[in-house]
Amino acid sequence: MAAAGTAVAALVSAAPATSAAASAPHTADARTALAAPDISVANVKAHLTQLQSIATANGGNRAHGRPGYKASLDYIKGKLDAAGYTTTVQQFTSGGATGYNLIADWPGGDTNNVVFSGAHLDSVTAGPGINDNGSGSAGILETALTVARQGAKPTKHLRFAWWGAEERGMVGSTSYINNLPSSERAKIDGYLNFDMIGSPNPGYFVYDDDPGIESVFKAFFSAKGVPTEIETEGDGRSDHAPFKNKGIPVGGLFSGADYTKTAAQAQKWGGTSGQAFDRCYHRSCDTSSNIDDTALDRNSDAIAYAVWTLGGA
């Protein structure tokens, strides 16, 4: 997640802000609960192990313009290509260095109604960025691979993205949306963002930007008996911002960064009050040991639930 105060750029859509709410079910029902898969947290953690190894082999980070970033992208692209996705690597320039976005489309579904899930893949230069944001990157990767393993045939078209240079101010996602023709922007029913979903002292925060998308995530956690709160710490600080600025419905999940967990939140979720949700936020200690497995598991399952529900899988 980008630090507070970074500039946000624009995005687009002729789709009305209520399009996701109007065109998809937003409450849990027995059929959706049965259809949505249980995402293997072991598989998600295996992806994080790979991202940690990549960082270790490339100067300790996976930052924009550094070799660890491109190696991370190549790892994810290889998995998606083997699973049958159509992948596209887009280039942009930031700070004098070439950056890359990876876009993956699952064949089929109504391409006039796109359910789009994304996460930033870059770390800061200070460390490997395993929670921020290997966690979101791995969560959507395993969801995408599960779509392929199940041979899912969703009603809507599923698209996934791994963004570059988010830590420089959402540069990659902004570049993508600004260069997407308006006719294609109008086809995006909703964009779902996942940035830091395995914080070691976690909270369970749901974006409240679009009521329809928000209700899908809240239904999932309610069914699990996990209370949620509205996400405020990351407002305007991650890759949903460029999409929202252009009128596209957005939603997502977050488990907390450098804000402090209150006593009330610790009573509700466990963990340690008076301590940051992620004490290693933007630090060298954001390694593969800086992950809460339960939060990672729950949030990965919630990603799949939303993709299956909103996508009509």
Side-chain angles (χ1 to χ4, degrees), residues 44-217:
V44 178
K45 291 192 71 177
H47 299 314
L48 294 181
T49 297
Q50 290 299 314
L51 294 177
Q52 175 69 66
S53 296
I54 287 168
T56 300
N58 289 280
N61 67 68
R62 303 178 302 98
H64 165 74
R66 305 295 181 91
Y69 179 78
K70 185 59 163 56
S72 299
L73 184 143
D74 290 343
Y75 166 74
I76 291 177
K77 184 177 186 298
K79 293 287 187 182
L80 295 165
D81 287 341
Y85 278 82
T86 300
T87 60
T88 305
V89 177
Q90 298 182 331
Q91 293 189 19
F92 58 89
T93 302
S94 180
T98 300
Y100 305 92
N101 294 325
L102 174 62
I103 313 298
D105 286 88
W106 180 241
D110 181 359
T111 54
N112 289 315
N113 295 100
V114 177
V115 174
F116 201 150
S117 303
H120 78 86
L121 184 56
D122 62 314
S123 73
V124 293
T125 56
I130 298 305
N131 187 37
D132 184 17
N133 182 36
S135 61
S137 293
I140 66 167
L141 173 59
E142 190 56 30
T143 297
L145 295 177
T146 302
V147 168
R149 288 189 203 103
Q150 295 201 350
K153 298 184 183 299
T155 303
K156 297 186 179 183
H157 184 75
L158 303 183
R159 180 173 299 153
F160 299 86
W162 290 261
W163 307 116
E166 185 269 356
E167 298 291 3
R168 296 180 60 86
M170 291 68 74
V171 178
S173 54
T174 296
S175 174
Y176 172 84
I177 204 64
N178 284 352
N179 286 288
L180 192 67
S182 59
S183 59
E184 292 301 311
R185 294 168 179 169
K187 297 175 182 178
I188 301 173
D189 280 2
Y191 171 74
L192 313 178
N193 194 64
F194 304 100
D195 191 348
M196 302 180 67
I197 63 168
S199 300
N201 188 30
Y204 292 89
F205 298 101
V206 176
Y207 295 15
D208 66 340
D209 303 272
D210 178 80
I213 297 173
E214 178 188 9
S215 69
V216 172
F217 288 117

